[in-house]
Amino acid sequence: MRVVMFCHSLLSDWNHGNAHFLRGICTELLADGHDLRVFEPVDAWSLQNLIAGHGNEALAEFGRAYPQLSSTRYDVSTIDIDEALHGADLVLVHEWNEPSLVQRIGEHRKRNTRYTLLFHDTHHRSVTDPAAMSRYDLSGYDGVLAFGASVAAVYERHGWGSRAWVWHEAADTRVFRPLTAEKEGDFVWIGNWGDDERTAELQEFLIDPIADLGLTACIYGVRYPAEAQARLAGARIEYAGWTPNFKAPEIFARYKLTAHVPRRPYATALPGVPTIRIFEALACGIPLISAPWSDSENLFTPGKDFLFASDGADMKQKMHNLLREPIQAAELARHGRETILRRHTCAHRVKELYGILEEVGSPATTMAGGMN
């Protein structure tokens, strides 16, 4: 079948964590033999920041890492929707698109019933900024793919879209996998500062325990203001800045331990949504300790796949224990990766997508050779 995707950016992962999942889904669709076209805006803020900070070499790195993937960059004021959607069987529209574009695609779907149109939400704005989400006209869409049951419930409660399915993010295990490297330090964290959505949490669950234990630690990410970098320096934590998302496996391989610190909306208002970072780390086979969030959908087995830390003191103790007990740490990493391989790969999510299309009664289901 012909699949068309509209997303914020496939080319850039600068402060754009969804790039991992979108790239993985595109890779699996291509592997299943489907025709794929991806569109992203020419002025995408993620891509603009990437090029401004790291030049065109960053794009060249993406091309080397994902030679099978490409995107068409468009101007929202001039894009020809008829041409972009010509021959489409399935159209996926990610939520980081202009409301005007979302509406135009929906209007096109009302006039053309041969394809299935789905809106894809992987953010917390449905609860933190409902006014922004209500601007999206989803009346022409067949439904919503929500990355957690709590997000799907928000859509159903507000009447945004005809229906919503739960479609969690997952790991692209073609890229995110265990690698072997000499250890350079005790602890690594890959994540962005997150504005003020987890400043206190990063202090409690990362900075203070690392400083108290005197660990050799490194943090990667963007949008760390001077005050944040000063906090890291005060704790003797190396700040390494941006790294391409697809280099996470080789980074994880050089450290003994990592952590997950969810942004506040995911820990409080959207239970059951772990975000991509847990999938990434577990797929790479590194032991992980997580700050609190509610695994209400039983995606994992806490205590076997990873450890939960109730507060900063507990995080400090669990870091200390895992670093002193490498056999326990290795078993935790092994079990976590097995859970990813068994339930949470992008290949699993593509199969779930096929099931959703069958449920919709999509004409695409009769054309998808990979739907089995």
Side-chain angles (χ1 to χ4, degrees):
M1 64 178 173
R2 172 167 288 182
V3 182
V4 178
M5 176 186 290
F6 286 84
C7 63
H8 173 70
S9 185
L10 194 72
L11 303 177
S12 174
D13 54 38
W14 192 98
N15 201 48
H16 178 40
N18 300 134
H20 171 168
F21 183 61
L22 296 175
R23 291 166 176 172
I25 292 299
C26 288
T27 299
E28 295 300 334
L29 288 169
L30 289 172
D32 275 354
H34 303 303
D35 178 32
L36 174 69
R37 293 187 72 186
V38 179
F39 291 86
E40 62 178 89
V42 69
D43 59 350
W45 50 258
S46 179
L47 185 60
Q48 288 182 319
N49 280 285
L50 178 64
I51 294 175
H54 304 278
N56 288 322
E57 174 57 25
L59 293 182
E61 279 195 288
F62 164 80
R64 291 191 290 269
Y66 297 94
Q68 75 280 21
L69 299 184
S70 63
S71 68
T72 298
R73 297 171 67 187
Y74 68 88
D75 186 323
V76 70
S77 66
T78 60
I79 184 173
D80 185 337
I81 296 296
D82 289 331
E83 189 281 328
L85 300 183
H86 178 72
D89 301 301
L90 170 64
V91 180
L92 301 173
V93 180
H94 197 247
E95 97 274 357
W96 280 113
N97 278 288
E98 288 292 328
S100 60
L101 179 73
V102 172
Q103 181 177 5
R104 288 175 64 192
I105 295 173
E107 293 298 325
H108 184 278
R109 171 64 177 81
K110 292 177 182 178
R111 302 190 302 270
N112 300 269
T113 60
R114 72 173 304 276
Y115 66 87
T116 299
L117 176 60
L118 298 172
F119 188 71
H120 182 204
D121 191 335
T122 57
H123 200 263
H124 59 66
R125 289 187 299 163
S126 59
V127 295
T128 58
D129 195 0
M133 297 307 294
S134 67
R135 295 173 57 206
Y136 289 111
D137 179 1
L138 303 181
S139 60
Y141 287 65
D142 293 290
V144 174
L145 302 175
F147 77 147
S150 55
V151 179
V154 173
Y155 274 82
E156 293 170 348
R157 184 166 64 250
H158 286 287
W160 297 335
S162 57
R163 62 182 303 183
W165 291 271
V166 176
W167 202 45
H168 279 286
E169 291 185 303
D172 176 5
T173 50
R174 297 173 186 268
V175 175
F176 289 77
R177 64 198 189 281
L179 298 178
T180 301
E182 184 176 349
K183 300 302 181 188
E184 295 180 1
D186 300 311
F187 179 89
V188 66
W189 190 68
I190 302 175
N192 304 322
W193 185 250
D195 303 313
D196 195 34
E197 293 176 351
R198 58 181 169 198
T199 301
E201 290 85 350
L202 290 175
Q203 186 72 45
E204 178 182 3
F205 288 95
L206 290 190
I207 298 173
D208 288 343
I210 290 170
D212 290 348
L213 292 171
L215 303 185
T216 304
C218 184
I219 286 181
Y220 290 81
V222 301
R223 299 182 71 181
Y224 282 69
E227 187 271 338
Q229 293 187 42
R231 291 190 189 203
L232 299 184
R236 297 187 177 181
I237 298 171
E238 178 186 358
Y239 173 56
W242 175 79
T243 185
N245 179 252
F246 48 81
K247 287 189 176 180
E250 60 188 71
I251 293 171
F252 283 136
R254 300 198 300 266
Y255 291 85
K256 301 174 184 177
L257 184 66
T258 192
H260 175 57
V261 183
R263 295 171 187 255
R264 203 166 302 127
Y266 297 120
T268 58
L270 291 174
V273 179
T275 76
I276 195 67
R277 298 301 185 183
I278 280 189
F279 298 110
E280 289 178 350
L282 296 188
C284 292
I286 184 171
L288 181 143
I289 309 171
S290 178
W293 62 279
S294 175
D295 186 13
S296 58
E297 297 183 56
N298 299 312
L299 299 175
F300 303 104
T301 305
K304 292 186 176 181
D305 293 327
F306 62 88
L307 303 180
F308 265 126
S310 58
D311 54 28
D314 194 28
M315 175 66 82
K316 175 182 172 180
Q317 185 62 52
K318 285 183 166 63
M319 285 181 173
H320 175 75
N321 291 346
L322 286 183
L323 290 171
R324 286 174 56 90
E325 300 173 17
I327 295 177
Q328 179 192 358
E331 175 58 21
L332 195 69
R334 183 198 66 79
H335 200 285
R337 175 162 167 78
E338 285 189 355
T339 295
I340 294 293
L341 295 177
R342 189 172 63 253
R343 303 178 58 191
H344 302 308
T345 69
C346 288
H348 287 111
R349 298 301 182 258
V350 167
K351 289 181 181 179
E352 291 171 8
L353 178 61
Y354 295 158
I356 290 169
L357 293 178
E358 291 177 354
E359 189 176 340
V360 172
S362 169
T365 59
T366 63
M367 307 174 191
M371 290 187 178
N372 51 49

